[in-house]
Amino acid sequence: QVQLQEAGPGLVKPSQTLSLTCTVSGGSINSGNYYWSWIRHHPGKGLEWIGYIFYSGSTYCNPSLKSRLTMSIDTSKSQFSLELSSVTAADAAVYYCASASTVSTYFDYWGQGILVTVSS
Amino acid sequence: QSALTQPASVSGSPGQSITISCTGSSSDIGTYKYVSWYQQHPGKAPKLIIFDVSDRPSGLSNRFSGSKSGNTASLTISGLQTEDESVYYCSSYTRSSTWVFGGGTKLTVL
């Protein structure tokens, strides 16, 4: 069973870059079977899909975040990462990494989530 | 992209059935069978409970069922149990090759 674990700073200053990493275990990150995804949950609001990266390095993201978002993957470390630049208070959320099967389009495995606060 | 529309809250008594609606558009729910539902308890990660409109992950109770009509998907929970009290989110794949989620519905078991 695939397990995912987010890591990164819980506090980011406004205008700086938010950087998170997700470590994958129990499955191969370069199997081609999953879209490795990021999803966030704003307090009191719904979930928001951020984007995904494929094992090949190809990415696809939420158009609303595209200009500020960079995603990367390191298959040797079984990790994929997110960088969101020029953060504001609106980026404060719980960030989840998740896997979406390429044969269907649901998120079957999720990390525990990491709370990111944006404050000076 | 607009979020899918869910009622903010629903409630029911133990043993009863409830249905949560999720309304999208012809760009998402109306086009694809790729609707999924997630259950999220406080402080926990979302858990997949329905995928492809009406399929259940292996081992999940058949008290949970899903359906779709036009641009609206629905989640029905029958034989309500206290442990079903949670927040439920719907999600759909879209024509833009992105995913969209609903705002979440808080289920209270009275």
Side-chain angles (χ1 to χ4, degrees), chain A residues 35 39 41 45-47 49 52 60 62-63 96 100 104-108 110-111, chain B residues 1 34 36 38 40 44-46 48 51-52 89 93 96-99 101-103:
Chain A
Y35 298 117
I39 295 163
H41 185 195
K45 296 185 180 179
L47 299 166
W49 176 74
Y52 73 73
Y60 207 82
N62 189 321
Y96 295 98
S104 187
T105 54
Y106 52 85
F107 300 98
D108 47 2
W110 296 67
Chain B
Q1 54 187 18
Y34 299 134
S36 51
Y38 303 86
Q40 187 175 33
K44 300 293 186 181
L48 176 71
F51 64 95
D52 293 354
Y89 294 95
Y93 191 62
S96 303
S97 301
T98 61
W99 280 267
F101 287 90

Side-chain angles (χ1 to χ4, degrees), chain A residues 39-94:
Chain A
I39 295 163
R40 66 183 181 180
H41 185 195
H42 297 281
K45 296 185 180 179
L47 299 166
E48 179 182 25
W49 176 74
I50 297 172
Y52 73 73
I53 187 165
F54 201 44
Y55 78 102
S56 61
S58 62
T59 61
Y60 207 82
C61 63
N62 189 321
S64 67
L65 299 169
K66 187 176 182 178
S67 64
R68 299 192 291 130
L69 183 65
T70 301
M71 290 180 288
S72 59
I73 190 165
D74 187 337
T75 56
S76 67
K77 294 182 179 179
S78 285
Q79 293 178 335
F80 60 102
S81 301
L82 166 153
E83 289 190 342
L84 186 64
S85 63
S86 305
V87 299
T88 70
D91 295 309
V94 176

Side-chain angles (χ1 to χ4, degrees), chain A residues 1 3 6 18 25 27 30 32-33 39 42 57 61 76 87 89 91 94-95 111 114:
Chain A
Q1 175 164 317
Q3 292 183 309
E6 305 87 351
L18 181 165
S25 59
N30 56 6
N33 293 331
I39 295 163
H42 297 281
C61 63
S76 67
V87 299
D91 295 309
V94 176
Y95 285 74
I114 183 168

